[in-house]
Amino acid sequence: MRTAEPGTTPAGRTARPGPAGVPATRGASGGPAEAPEGRTPPAGSPAAGHPAATSAPAAAGSGGPSAPAGPSAADGPAGPAGPPAGPASPARPASPAAGPAAPIDPARWPDVAAVPRSSWARTAVTGALVRRALRGLPLRARFAGAEPVGRGGPLLEVRDPAAFHARVGTSGLVGFGESYMAGEWDAPDLVAALTVLAAHTADLVPAPLQRLRGLWAPRHPHEERNTPDGSRSNISRHYDLSNDLFALFLDDTLSYSSAVFRGFPATWDLLAAAQRRKVDRLLDLAGVREGTRLLEIGTGWGELALRAAARGARVTSITLSREQRERALERVRAAGAGDRVSIELCDYREARGTYDAVVSVEMIEAVGAEFWPAYFRTLDERLDPGGRVALQAITMPHERMLATRDTFTWIHKYVFPGGVIPSTEAIEDTARAHTRLRPARRDAFGAHYAETLRLWRERFTARAGELGALGFDETFRRLWTFYLAYCEAGFRAGYLDVQQYLFTKERPAR
């Protein structure tokens, strides 16, 4: 996941010391992280919830789910713009059941606090298109108490249709998410409602508009390209939010990628064991044992490096997240593994040396399609002949990836700048075209990610009252609630999947 740029306060976070008498900490093990007084996000920055390019997950690793990028009922142009509609109006505070209980801070959330300008014609056309798209779906969409639209199923309650349609009509899927953040719509079962939308994502935008997607869909801002400098910024904006934030909803392993369960339904008390099972399976695929020289691309908070060291491996782990590296180093020292684990702050393209095995967990999603060849060449160049690469990767259907990979979405703006989810075809074709690596095994387990996300979401909700002590506001809570539910829905609908890959590299013929 990503966060605010170094030296700024993450979106929705206030500068606030720890509780009286309790020193603030930076680690993932306890108290609130202290933000220097006067730290505020720069106006118009992603850290403030408003990227500079709004008119239009690299080596932090440890994963983090990425939400579907395809269109929903909210995605797409809404017809003629009509005459100007006047200045943007402030979002109306919703009731506690409907949304934020406190006014939205316009300095931190400018695009959420104000409803965008939208002409009457655009809003009306948007409303008609949205109702038409929802009419055939197995859900109930109710607009300000009117008769529900849809064929029955989970309820989607739009409490402020005018604001909802204005946001959707001007910003598509970005506006759909911002409308939720503003409390203008909600759902008693948010995951169920979003799962219906994710399952029908290819059908929600009319076919003629889909064919013209390249003309109307917003593009990724140039500054979010995953160049070495761009990757550092993109990674920091998510993974450096606060170690304490992630510790709020992750288990004791601090693993931020899909677990592997023995059966369903999963329960919280089984999550840590399921995360270790995932890690051990990847280490087994890579053949990690006593004496193995292992390169890990994407450290996370250090669980995989520690378990590899416990097998007797010598581990070099690289990351771009300063917060993750700091906490991972604390864990390495506490485990007495400092002689076997080195954690370096560097881009994957800067890695040197060769290794018997390479492991990378949910890192490829942060690389960007433009740099997939460079990523796979790094895997190849760092691996000795006869070695093995184990990857864990979130994937999406190939045709949807091709249709959406250039589109700038809500998840890019607020959660994962620069991220692109590959397809299995893209992964395997890139490896074949640019490396000597060959896929030897692939196992899919998307249902396990849906359960992992459910446990994270439930834990986050149960501990949401602690966010204020960490400096995060109510709008941030709704942002992350939507993000976790949005991702879970993608996996439950089958729109997203997760794979474990084994790649091998043959020794040269003699």
Side-chain angles (χ1 to χ4, degrees), residues 68-94:
S72 74
D75 197 9
S89 57
R92 284 171 279 199

Side-chain angles (χ1 to χ4, degrees), residues 136-170:
L137 299 186
L139 54 66
R140 293 174 298 137
R142 186 162 57 205
F143 294 83
E147 193 68 22
V149 175
R151 295 193 287 107
L155 176 65
L156 192 156
E157 183 85 43
V158 182
R159 290 181 167 87
D160 190 340
F164 175 81
H165 291 136
R167 292 186 192 272
V168 170
T170 57

Side-chain angles (χ1 to χ4, degrees), residues 308-463:
R311 295 186 177 202
R314 292 198 166 275
V315 184
T316 298
S317 185
I318 62 174
T319 180
L320 286 179
S321 169
R322 295 180 183 277
E323 288 275 331
Q324 287 189 324
R325 180 175 184 265
E326 181 178 305
R327 180 57 177 146
L329 286 172
E330 290 175 5
R331 298 182 72 195
V332 168
R333 288 191 291 267
D339 60 331
R340 299 185 300 282
V341 178
S342 171
I343 301 177
E344 301 175 3
L345 194 68
C346 79
D347 188 272
Y348 68 90
R349 287 159 285 206
E350 300 166 352
R352 296 295 179 264
T354 58
Y355 301 84
D356 305 310
V358 181
V359 177
S360 190
V361 182
E362 294 182 23
M363 155 71 194
I364 191 173
E365 304 86 352
V367 168
E370 177 185 1
F371 296 99
W372 287 339
Y375 174 72
F376 277 98
R377 280 195 296 268
T378 296
L379 300 179
D380 186 19
E381 291 166 0
R382 302 281 73 83
L383 187 68
D384 276 340
R388 298 157 74 92
V389 173
L391 298 184
Q392 184 162 309
I394 298 170
T395 59
M396 67 190 303
H398 190 62
E399 65 279 5
R400 298 308 309 151
M401 183 207 77
L402 294 176
T404 63
R405 65 181 176 182
D406 295 326
T407 303
F408 181 70
T409 67
W410 178 89
I411 212 79
H412 295 120
K413 181 173 179 178
Y414 288 103
V415 186
F416 285 113
V420 179
I421 300 174
S423 64
T424 56
E425 293 92 331
I427 289 173
E428 294 165 23
D429 290 349
T430 303
R432 288 191 182 96
H434 298 277
T435 75
R436 292 166 291 171
L437 302 175
R438 293 297 175 263
R441 178 169 179 166
R442 175 171 66 86
D443 298 293
F445 55 107
H448 294 253
Y449 219 147
E451 286 293 280
T452 303
L453 281 155
R454 176 180 62 81
L455 295 175
W456 290 345
R457 177 177 52 81
E458 291 172 352
R459 183 79 162 180
F460 181 83
T461 299
R463 302 187 68 183

Side-chain angles (χ1 to χ4, degrees), residues 219-273:
R219 297 300 180 118
H220 293 276
H222 181 77
E223 61 270 22
E224 292 182 6
R225 288 180 63 233
N226 285 296
T227 61
D229 286 343
S231 291
R232 286 181 174 87
S233 172
N234 289 340
I235 288 300
S236 181
R237 283 167 54 190
H238 186 84
Y239 292 94
D240 290 340
L241 272 170
S242 163
N243 282 335
D244 298 313
L245 169 67
F246 290 99
L248 203 67
F249 66 92
L250 298 179
D251 64 89
D252 290 343
T253 69
L254 294 177
S255 297
Y256 190 37
S257 52
S258 181
V260 176
F261 298 97
R262 291 193 184 279
F264 301 142
T267 56
W268 178 261
D269 59 306
L270 299 177
L271 180 56

